[in-house]
Amino acid sequence: MKRLAPPRSTGQVMAWVLIATLPGIATLTWHFGWGVLTNVLFAAALGASLEALVLKLRRRPLKPTLQDNSALISGVLLGASLPPGSSWWLILVGMVAAIIVAKQLYGGLGQNPFNPAMVGYALLLISFPVQMTQWLAPQGLFGPEALSLGDSLMRFLGPTDVDHLDAISGATPLDAFKHKPEAWLASEFWASQPLPQGTSSAWQAVALAWLVGGAMLLYLRIISWHIPVALLGSLGLFATLAYAVDPSQHAGPSFHLLGGAAIFGAFFIATDPVSAATSRKGKLYYAAAIGLLIMLIREFGAYPDGVAFAVLLMNFAVPFIDYYTRPRTLGHARPARGIKVKQLDDREERQ
């Protein structure tokens, strides 16, 4: 089979990334309801609108920037990260942080040092922890207890009724394991089945759907293998070590890889070409550190998942990584070890 040529323009690349998100979004919608679509569609529309507003205020042409589809990508990624059926004002706050603060205030696409979608998500998680933990239990799109499209729209348009949502909300697997009673062993947690039926399998299906989209990006050569493999390998390695040291208190590697946003982050978040490391060696260091930070945050931090914070911390370190992993210029050989010493000795003699 002839391999497809990689997309050339930024708009084409972003369009293929949007297509690659469809398996994950469809699986999320199937398991968690119509609220996933209201999140994604409203956030994407807000992304384009806020981008146009800022460009208008800056007196910049709208068409070239809007056609690169980067604002749509930020909206889709943030919308897919939020609890299904989040209120409109929550999505608005997140997108203002993502597009205006994290992107346009730095000069637009190519100038932002941090992943815009993760800036918006981190701000919401810190500022509105109650709303950001209202994940619905997986009822299926047409299940007997699933929210209808009308109910999802009412939840999206109206204020969040926390008391009502308690009856239909459920903890994510990572959240449930993180906040299990301290006296419980891991085996007791699994035996007690504190999660609603089908929750773990639903999250595993979503993770595998993101993997399908990520494989599409690899096939099209939109991303390289370095970041996803290094991130997931690092996370899996440290999860395996923790489990080997004390299986009574730590979950196994499959739980960490399939129970949260690790695969989504590895293929769609950490690979952002603007805020990620650029050289092949730098990508490996960058992604491996993200995997380690995710594990540390999950084990010792206050939040059950740490993908957003890990990516943002390593975005901050990217200039340092790029500086020390710059590839050697073509045609320039690596200098011998004794050359620098001899040059210093000659300089000292002249002085």
Side-chain angles (χ1 to χ4, degrees):
M1 183 184 297
K2 185 177 179 182
R3 195 172 187 180
L4 296 176
R8 299 298 179 186
S9 69
T10 302
Q12 289 177 328
V13 169
M14 296 298 179
W16 276 110
V17 174
L18 285 171
I19 294 172
T21 63
L22 293 180
I25 292 172
T27 308
L28 271 171
T29 303
W30 178 258
H31 286 286
F32 293 97
W34 299 102
V36 176
L37 293 182
T38 60
N39 285 0
V40 170
L41 294 176
F42 185 61
L46 273 178
S49 301
L50 291 171
E51 185 115 295
L53 174 63
V54 176
L55 290 172
K56 194 72 174 177
L57 294 174
R58 296 176 62 192
R59 299 182 181 179
R60 298 290 181 86
L62 301 182
K63 188 175 181 180
T65 302
L66 293 179
Q67 283 183 335
D68 65 23
N69 296 321
S70 61
L72 293 178
I73 286 291
S74 296
V76 169
L77 296 181
L78 179 60
S81 303
L82 299 178
S86 294
S87 298
W88 64 270
W89 60 266
L90 189 74
I91 303 174
L92 175 61
V93 172
M95 289 307 299
V96 167
I99 299 299
I100 297 180
V101 177
K103 184 180 179 183
Q104 286 297 329
L105 287 184
Y106 284 98
L109 183 66
Q111 306 298 320
N112 52 289
F114 301 103
N115 184 290
M118 291 300 97
V119 170
Y121 181 86
L123 174 70
L124 293 178
L125 188 59
I126 294 171
S127 304
F128 308 103
V130 174
Q131 288 78 7
M132 290 293 288
T133 56
Q134 293 296 332
W135 275 88
L136 300 178
Q139 303 288 346
L141 191 59
F142 302 106
E145 298 182 13
L147 290 180
S148 66
L149 178 59
D151 290 336
S152 298
L153 288 174
M154 289 298 296
R155 180 183 176 189
F156 165 74
L157 294 173
T160 303
D161 185 353
V162 176
D163 293 334
H164 169 65
L165 290 177
D166 284 342
I168 58 176
S169 298
T172 65
L174 287 174
D175 195 14
F177 189 82
K178 178 77 174 179
H179 296 102
K180 71 181 188 302
E182 293 184 5
W184 278 21
L185 301 178
S187 58
E188 293 175 323
F189 171 81
W190 307 124
S192 67
Q193 296 182 347
L195 295 169
Q197 185 176 6
T199 298
S200 295
S201 60
W203 280 99
Q204 291 171 2
V206 170
L208 293 176
W210 289 122
L211 182 61
V212 170
M216 181 188 303
L217 297 180
L218 288 173
Y219 178 75
L220 294 171
R221 289 182 283 176
I222 292 175
I223 63 174
S224 68
W225 61 267
H226 301 80
I227 291 177
V229 170
L231 193 158
L232 297 176
S234 173
L235 177 60
L237 172 63
F238 290 111
T240 301
L241 292 175
Y243 184 73
V245 170
D246 189 358
S248 67
Q249 294 297 327
H250 302 286
S254 61
F255 178 80
H256 283 283
L257 292 172
L258 299 176
I263 293 180
F264 173 62
F267 286 97
F268 292 92
I269 302 299
T271 53
D272 174 28
V274 177
S275 57
T278 54
S279 69
R280 292 179 180 178
K281 185 185 295 185
K283 289 177 180 179
L284 294 175
Y285 292 148
Y286 161 80
I290 291 176
L292 172 59
L293 287 171
I294 291 173
M295 188 64 190
L296 291 175
I297 293 171
R298 288 179 177 182
E299 290 292 334
F300 306 108
Y303 298 98
D305 204 351
V307 173
F309 296 110
V311 169
L312 292 174
L313 285 171
M314 290 313 299
N315 287 163
F316 186 78
V318 159
F320 175 83
I321 295 173
D322 283 343
Y323 180 81
Y324 285 100
T325 59
R326 287 179 298 182
R328 194 165 63 249
T329 305
L330 185 64
H332 289 70
R334 187 184 301 276
R337 289 186 176 181
I339 291 179
K340 288 186 176 180
V341 176
K342 185 177 184 302
Q343 289 175 345
L344 289 174
D345 291 340
D346 293 340
R347 193 177 303 167
E348 289 174 359
E349 289 178 2
R350 287 196 300 268
Q351 290 177 351

